[in-house]
Amino acid sequence: MHDDHRTVEDRLRRVLEERVRPAVHTSALPLTVARWEAPGEPVPAADGISAPYRPAAVGETWGPAWGTTWFRVTGQVPHSWAGRTVEAVLDLGFERDMPGFQCEGLVHRADGEPVKGLHPRNSWVRVAEPAAGGEEVELYIEAASNPILNTPQTPTRQGDVRTADDTPLYRLARMDLAVFEPQVWELALDLEVAGSLMRELPLEDARRWELLRALERALDALDLADVPGSAERARERLAAVLGAPARASAHRISAVGHAHIDSAWLWPLRETVRKVARTSSNMVALMDEHPEFVFAMSQAQQFAWLKEHRPEVYAKVARKVAEGRFVPVGGMWVESDTNMVGGEAMARQLGYGKKFFLEEFGIETKEVWLPDSFGYTAALPQLVKLSGSDWFLTQKISWSSTNPFPHHTFWWEGIDGTRVFTHFPPVDTYNATLSGEELAHAARNFREKGAASRSLVPFGHGDGGGGATREMLGRAARTRDLDGSPRVTVEKPAAFFEKARAEYPDAPVWQGELYLELHRGTYTSQAATKQGNRRAESLLHEAELWAATAAVRTGYVYPYARLEELWKTVLLHQFHDILPGSSIAWVHREARRTYARVAGELTEIVEEAQRALAGRGERGVVFNGSPHTRSGVPAGGARPAAEDSAAHRGGTGGEEAVTVTERGGGGWTLENGLVRVEVDGRGLVVSVYDRRARREAVAPGCPANLLQLHPDLPNHWDAWDVDAFYRHSATDLTHADEVTLSAADGRSATVRARRSFGSSTAVQSVTLRAGSPLLLMEADVDWRESEKLLKAAFPLDVKADRSAAETQFGHVFRPTHTNTTWEAAKFEICAHRWLHVEEPGWGAALVNDSTYGHDVTRDIRADGGQTTTVRLSLLRAPRYPDPETDQGRHRMRYGLAPGATLRDAVREGHWINLPERTVPGDGSPVAPLVVLDGEQGEQIVAETVKLADDGSGDVVVRLYESLGGRARALLTPGFPVTSVTETDLLERPLAEPRAQHTVEEARVRVALRPFQILTLRLGRSGER
């Protein structure tokens, strides 16, 4: 037989697109259209429906960027359509192949009830089934004219309502009543499924030719002049091949309806509220038509938005949740970033998220659902388990640009040794349509073949694209048991995970972080957003600590509701396109304003609580919010401020005063008995001599605190990516406009250097303080560059084969060499408050108050020594999606701690983020609520001290082992304790406590394994 497969396949494509699909709706009649432009921001549905409409017509333009236009469509079903299925086809001017990134609509009835969303692949509304004839049609469409910003990825002013123009973006394409032809719709799916399956099979496979000949017979049976009249006959020609059962070894797919909706990205937060309402309305409507459909939605915040802004939609969702078909997943407040989110915030993401689902629906979510975040912290497995969850799902690792990840189903082991069963869907998308191409790719790509047989596919258009469609369900029904295809079953994620774990209990283990070899620029972009997050996390720590202390000691009213609202605001802004800096200008402008408000409110709480604790008087009381004793002030306690005497100015507690001498050739030498620092005439640090270890920290001939400027134009994804070739060119900013000495009063000395470069300026300060080995630095930068990357370099004279970078509740080690592609790919890494490098006997730490991006490189010098260079990534200037990214003034603080151990790094990292506060009071000390004693007491960090969320008055203390070793300590509460309970992140007793913690003479004995997180609930006498 001659090979004619291309001819048949080309024929199929054309007939399907040009004849069959257009015939799904026939006998179209135009609806009468009217419109009303909502002024400014969106209005409630009742206002939109009752607004004064004016006549409109198909073909009219509408919608300036970020506007809302309400359309009213009216008509009458002809009596001749009686017995037929009638639908309204409402095309707002969609780009069919771009769901989620353009205009969208929500259809309402005249009484305000939402019906369903309108999207490029879902532009119909059922009117009557079957029609009686004569039905009056009156529908209202809230149409959002969101600009298309995802392509091309070029600078645009449309990303902020303040700078967007008012040119209409869309043109009404179709507003019709039409007869829905079910047999044509079924035929379209038959042809599509058979055709897509055929194209994925090898040309040598007999099944491919069987499908080809059946498709040819179906096309022969189809009358192109009467598709509805011949559709059933054509379908009969395909029945046998579509009824052939799957092979016994066929891959098994659990298909889960899904609509990944970014809580902000190329649209502002307020638009996400509407995207969620539109998609949820769609999914509820689809469930009404398809009882087999199961839809999973993550992010408690999005459910909360529905409840607040669209309670009528939320009520429908809640009913479907009760039926077990609308399935909350994820257990997180939002699908957050996990690289930069602080430890306590990561715990609250899971705690608040799971608690919402429990309180609203009585559902204990068991999976952490995080498909689209830019890498996953090695601390997460323990947090997943402590939240009461069992499984983890991700997808984004498939985007790694260097090394393919070796597993799809595996046990993920965190820094403490906790393992969580994890799945990484081989379909390589979280917006699947269940096409033949996707299903075949999932089966071929699955790396566990021979040991396991099943994977999960999230299907549905995301980001406001409307979620799953009836066409996707039609594909699922046809591939449930079909020869040549994986077996597809629509079911809940929990059903998949239970089966997958039972089938593959001895899955391989991946230890450590899931590093995404892409999007490394997200550690740096939008510095103000990142600084706002870090400051908010620190203030939340202080607010809870001091409010709890004041509540226990003085009867201060603990602000439960206020703190929860502030926490949830911060958690929202940790979403994986806000904190990483990859959203439009509007999002980050609002984020900066929100962080300022949050900081102000939290500062009020801190100050109120501290005033209650300090008492009345004018003597200064110093509060230490750090979990480590500082300058004689205990962790979480307060002491009277030292008198401002001449002796004190020369150093405290026997500390040597800071002395300053001029250097030959320019600059100054600063000394305090612990370190000697030389700053040259250019304002660069050329020596940091550790007098305790009698060795130099700075590599010979290499200045430290050196600002370096790189070109920064990645190949793709401007705000997201930093590509390795940026290192090929660098400008060292060594010239200084002015170098001055200030604040040389014995307590501290500061050298400042002002530099100009490009269109920008930077004022760098270097400060040495009495009694501290930390060399504290500040960069005050007025940043006006474009497509540049600014780093601060510290070339250290230390042979370090690895670096230690703080992550949530511990740290991760990463090699400094590039022996393999896995190490080479980590050319930009994330660290929280500190990064540490060492050789046996000596190390150094770089600490910071708001920077996350770092890189660590190693070089061998001519003298045989090794230079390990640690650099902080301070600022970027990508132009997409926000053309003004990072423009303006920034103040960043960081410090070099020579001779630092890991313990020192942990302590100094907390100190730079939690500065002392001095308030007037009666001068009485404030004892901490809890004290950790013993040789290993400082190794265990009290990350959080707060009152229990349930209002019982119990004190909750969250501890973690910080150095990666075992530790024991005695925890001494500063109040009467009636019980000690180990809890999960929701403050519930653990079903199987990992250790027995007993009260012994008013103290609690604790023992922690490496990096273990321990949450203790301390019952208080008379508080229940």
Side-chain angles (χ1 to χ4, degrees):
M1 183 180 290
H2 296 298
D3 182 354
D4 62 347
H5 76 278
R6 293 189 184 278
T7 300
V8 177
E9 290 172 12
D10 287 346
R11 180 187 178 192
L12 172 63
R13 289 190 189 96
R14 183 169 188 185
V15 170
L16 184 57
E17 289 300 318
E18 296 184 18
R19 295 292 190 272
V20 178
R21 287 198 178 111
V24 169
H25 289 101
T26 60
S27 307
L29 292 174
L31 290 159
T32 300
V33 184
R35 65 190 288 179
W36 174 71
E37 314 294 335
E41 286 297 283
V43 301
D47 294 350
I49 292 170
S50 62
Y53 284 76
R54 66 173 178 82
V58 168
E60 284 187 3
T61 58
W62 67 278
W66 308 116
T68 301
T69 302
W70 282 81
F71 293 102
R72 182 180 65 213
V73 294
T74 55
Q76 187 179 59
V77 177
H79 288 283
S80 60
W81 290 2
R84 309 291 295 276
T85 298
V86 179
E87 294 181 344
V89 183
L90 309 171
D91 187 339
L92 300 175
F94 297 124
E95 292 283 344
R96 178 174 169 79
D97 293 327
M98 204 182 296
F101 297 96
Q102 55 180 295
C103 60
E104 301 168 34
L106 181 58
V107 179
H108 301 75
R109 302 193 195 283
D111 61 3
E113 180 190 358
V115 180
K116 68 186 291 284
L118 293 180
H119 307 89
R121 299 296 183 94
N122 200 337
S123 58
W124 57 271
V125 177
R126 183 64 53 86
V127 171
E129 183 190 19
E135 291 95 336
E136 296 292 334
V137 177
E138 183 178 6
L139 299 172
Y140 293 80
I141 306 164
E142 181 192 26
S145 50
N146 302 330
I148 297 172
L149 299 178
N150 65 323
T151 180
Q153 292 187 8
T154 54
T156 175
R157 297 289 174 178
Q158 299 284 74
D160 193 334
V161 69
R162 293 184 176 183
T163 57
D165 61 48
D166 58 2
T167 303
L169 300 176
Y170 299 100
R171 188 180 299 276
L172 279 184
R174 186 177 182 184
M175 294 277 156
D176 290 341
L177 273 185
V179 172
F180 174 72
E181 303 286 356
Q183 283 298 321
V184 178
W185 182 83
E186 297 283 2
L187 173 62
L189 282 168
D190 287 349
L191 293 171
E192 178 192 304
V193 169
S196 62
L197 171 59
M198 172 189 67
R199 286 189 293 271
E200 293 303 318
L201 293 172
L203 198 58
E204 301 79 15
D205 193 324
R207 173 64 169 162
R208 175 165 181 156
W209 291 91
E210 183 181 40
L211 288 162
L212 182 87
R213 294 304 164 209
L215 284 163
E216 186 175 39
R217 291 192 295 271
L219 294 173
D220 289 343
L222 188 65
D223 182 354
L224 299 185
D226 183 15
V227 173
S230 57
E232 188 172 1
R233 183 170 66 246
R235 292 193 68 206
E236 291 171 357
R237 306 296 194 273
L238 290 170
V241 292
L242 290 178
R247 301 162 190 174
S249 60
H251 185 64
R252 297 178 180 274
I253 285 176
S254 297
V256 179
H258 183 50
H260 172 78
I261 302 179
D262 287 305
S263 288
W265 179 25
L266 302 180
W267 48 85
L269 289 168
R270 67 90 154 145
E271 192 56 31
T272 313
V273 175
R274 299 204 293 177
K275 285 177 179 282
V276 172
R278 291 188 283 258
T279 298
S280 297
S281 297
N282 259 11
M283 296 303 91
V284 168
L286 194 60
M287 288 173 191
D288 289 339
E289 298 292 328
H290 296 269
E292 79 280 10
F293 178 47
V294 173
F295 178 76
M297 190 166 99
S298 66
Q299 307 190 69
Q301 172 68 83
Q302 296 188 359
F303 285 85
W305 276 334
L306 274 184
K307 184 178 181 181
E308 177 184 358
H309 297 282
R310 298 306 301 255
E312 71 280 28
V313 178
Y314 186 73
K316 293 181 179 182
V317 167
R319 287 194 291 272
K320 298 301 183 185
V321 171
E323 294 172 8
R325 300 170 61 205
F326 200 117
V327 183
V329 293
M332 298 179 69
W333 191 250
V334 295
E335 288 186 10
S336 76
D337 171 80
T338 77
N339 289 310
M340 294 167 285
V341 172
E344 186 59 27
M346 200 77 247
R348 301 301 177 92
Q349 286 284 358
L350 292 158
Y352 281 123
K354 291 203 57 152
K355 188 161 61 173
F356 180 90
F357 296 134
L358 277 166
E359 292 176 349
E360 291 292 317
F361 308 123
I363 290 176
E364 174 93 21
T365 55
K366 302 303 288 184
E367 65 288 301
V368 172
W369 184 279
L370 198 54
D372 181 27
S373 198
F374 310 144
Y376 304 90
T377 170
L380 200 51
Q382 183 178 192
L383 291 165
V384 170
K385 284 294 185 183
L386 286 174
S387 74
S389 296
D390 295 328
W391 310 305
F392 181 74
L393 179 136
T394 176
Q395 179 66 67
K396 201 70 171 188
I397 298 301
S398 67
W399 288 44
S400 283
S401 59
T402 305
N403 299 285
F405 194 74
H407 312 298
H408 284 109
T409 299
F410 58 100
W411 289 96
W412 181 20
E413 181 180 313
I415 55 174
D416 73 311
T418 297
R419 292 179 179 178
V420 61
F421 192 76
T422 299
H423 185 62
F424 160 32
V427 71
D428 285 346
T429 179
Y430 40 81
N431 295 308
T433 62
L434 299 183
S435 68
E437 180 183 9
E438 291 169 345
L439 299 180
H441 176 75
R444 284 195 299 261
N445 191 39
F446 186 54
R447 290 180 174 269
E448 320 309 320
K449 287 188 285 285
S453 66
R454 61 183 69 244
S455 68
L456 185 147
V457 173
F459 70 93
H461 298 301
D463 284 330
T469 66
R470 60 186 178 187
E471 288 77 16
M472 295 176 196
L473 292 177
R475 293 175 200 128
R478 286 161 175 78
T479 53
R480 183 176 182 85
D481 188 12
L482 178 61
D483 186 13
S485 170
R487 286 189 173 92
V488 176
T489 302
V490 177
E491 59 185 349
K492 298 178 183 178
F496 161 77
F497 275 106
E498 288 166 356
K499 295 172 187 174
R501 187 166 61 181
E503 177 187 49
Y504 201 26
D506 57 346
V509 176
W510 179 271
Q511 193 278 332
E513 66 183 327
L514 297 175
Y515 178 91
L516 179 63
E517 297 171 351
L518 196 73
H519 292 357
R520 305 165 183 90
T522 57
Y523 311 149
T524 305
S525 296
Q526 298 287 359
T529 298
K530 291 170 170 58
Q531 191 168 59
N533 175 74
R534 180 77 68 83
R535 185 182 182 196
E537 289 181 342
S538 297
L539 284 168
L540 282 161
H541 167 91
E542 284 200 90
E544 290 185 330
L545 169 66
W546 300 125
T549 306
V552 172
R553 295 281 162 68
T554 72
Y556 171 83
V557 178
Y558 192 82
Y560 291 100
R562 195 175 176 194
L563 283 169
E564 180 172 329
E565 185 274 329
L566 290 165
W567 258 118
K568 287 178 177 177
T569 299
V570 173
L571 298 180
L572 166 59
H573 287 79
Q574 291 172 339
F575 178 75
H576 66 251
D577 277 308
I578 303 180
L579 180 55
S582 47
S583 288
I584 56 173
W586 190 349
V587 173
H588 290 288
R589 170 172 58 81
E590 287 190 333
R592 292 190 292 271
R593 184 178 63 196
T594 299
Y595 280 129
R597 174 182 63 80
V598 167
E601 291 190 36
L602 288 169
T603 299
E604 285 180 8
I605 294 172
V606 169
E607 291 175 347
E608 288 170 1
Q610 288 181 337
R611 282 196 297 270
L613 290 163
R616 296 181 179 179
E618 297 302 321
R619 186 176 181 186
V621 179
V622 180
F623 286 82
N624 174 21
S626 163
H628 308 278
T629 299
R630 173 167 49 188
S631 302
V633 183
R639 289 282 187 271
E643 296 296 331
D644 188 20
S645 63
H648 174 60
R649 287 195 300 272
T652 61
E655 300 159 356
E656 288 189 25
V658 177
T659 62
V660 180
T661 57
E662 292 190 16
R663 294 177 72 249
W668 293 270
T669 299
L670 317 179
E671 294 191 66
N672 68 356
L674 300 173
V675 294
R676 182 180 69 239
V677 178
E678 295 189 33
V679 183
D680 69 9
R682 302 169 297 174
L684 299 174
V685 176
V686 293
S687 173
V688 178
Y689 185 77
D690 182 356
R691 293 184 60 177
R692 301 160 300 174
R694 293 183 292 180
R695 63 169 288 169
E696 176 63 50
V698 178
C702 301
N705 197 27
L706 172 67
L707 294 181
Q708 295 180 305
L709 195 64
H710 295 273
D712 182 20
L713 181 65
N715 290 339
H716 310 282
W717 300 99
D718 287 11
W720 292 259
D721 287 353
V722 170
D723 287 334
F725 56 73
Y726 84 88
R727 293 178 174 175
H728 297 174
S729 178
T731 302
D732 293 345
L733 304 181
T734 57
H735 173 75
D737 303 331
E738 180 183 39
V739 180
T740 59
L741 174 71
S742 63
D745 61 1
R747 286 178 292 188
S748 66
T750 299
V751 177
R752 285 189 173 85
R754 178 182 176 85
R755 307 185 195 281
S756 301
F757 56 96
S759 301
S760 305
T761 59
V763 177
Q764 290 179 275
S765 63
V766 177
T767 299
L768 185 66
R769 299 168 299 177
S772 172
L774 181 72
L775 184 62
L776 185 63
M777 284 154 276
E778 182 178 281
D780 186 341
V781 184
D782 186 7
W783 182 243
R784 304 293 173 183
E785 303 308 297
S786 178
E787 296 172 348
K788 295 289 192 297
L789 170 62
L790 183 67
K791 286 192 170 254
F794 291 82
L796 303 175
D797 189 8
V798 57
K799 186 180 184 304
D801 296 324
R802 64 182 185 177
S803 65
E806 188 191 32
T807 190
Q808 296 90 346
F809 300 107
H811 57 265
V812 291
F813 291 111
R814 301 183 181 100
T816 59
H817 61 74
T818 54
N819 283 358
T820 73
T821 54
W822 292 92
E823 287 94 26
K826 296 181 181 179
F827 58 81
E828 184 80 0
I829 58 176
C830 183
H832 285 204
R833 290 169 288 207
W834 56 266
L835 188 143
H836 182 263
V837 292
E838 68 176 351
E839 61 188 39
W842 192 87
L846 206 62
V847 300
N848 72 84
D849 76 344
S850 59
T851 299
Y852 295 93
H854 295 72
D855 71 295
V856 184
T857 54
R858 58 196 293 273
D859 298 285
I860 302 300
R861 306 188 299 266
D863 65 4
Q866 177 178 313
T867 299
T868 300
T869 302
V870 180
R871 299 196 303 167
L872 298 94
S873 300
L874 300 180
L875 293 167
R876 296 187 67 215
R879 302 187 64 209
Y880 175 83
D882 176 4
E884 300 296 324
T885 301
D886 283 340
Q887 300 300 294
R889 188 175 178 185
H890 304 269
R891 285 186 176 179
M892 292 154 286
R893 297 170 71 238
Y894 44 92
L896 174 66
T901 62
L902 281 172
R903 188 188 304 263
D904 297 327
V906 173
R907 182 180 61 248
E908 294 285 0
H910 278 102
W911 283 355
I912 197 172
N913 284 273
L914 294 165
E916 298 157 301
R917 296 175 180 270
T918 302
V919 300
D922 61 15
S924 300
V926 177
L929 272 189
V930 294
V931 175
L932 286 162
D933 296 315
E935 293 182 4
Q936 298 164 321
E938 197 175 70
Q939 187 174 337
I940 299 175
V941 174
E943 180 68 17
T944 296
V945 178
K946 61 186 286 290
L947 293 194
D949 288 343
D950 61 7
S952 63
D954 290 351
V955 174
V956 171
V957 182
R958 186 143 30 244
L959 312 169
Y960 73 98
E961 193 286 317
S962 64
L963 304 184
R966 297 183 182 275
R968 297 177 179 273
L970 285 173
L971 185 146
T972 305
F975 53 91
V977 173
T978 58
S979 63
V980 179
T981 307
E982 185 177 352
T983 77
D984 64 10
L985 299 182
L986 281 68
E987 300 174 7
R988 304 174 298 189
L990 285 181
E992 298 180 3
R994 293 164 294 174
Q996 294 297 320
H997 307 288
T998 57
V999 180
E1000 301 175 3
E1001 298 180 354
R1003 297 196 291 183
V1004 183
R1005 191 175 300 278
V1006 296
L1008 276 66
R1009 67 173 185 269
F1011 296 132
Q1012 181 183 349
I1013 303 167
L1014 175 66
T1015 305
L1016 296 178
R1017 182 177 183 133
L1018 309 178
R1020 290 170 56 205
S1021 176
E1023 289 300 324
R1024 290 197 175 275

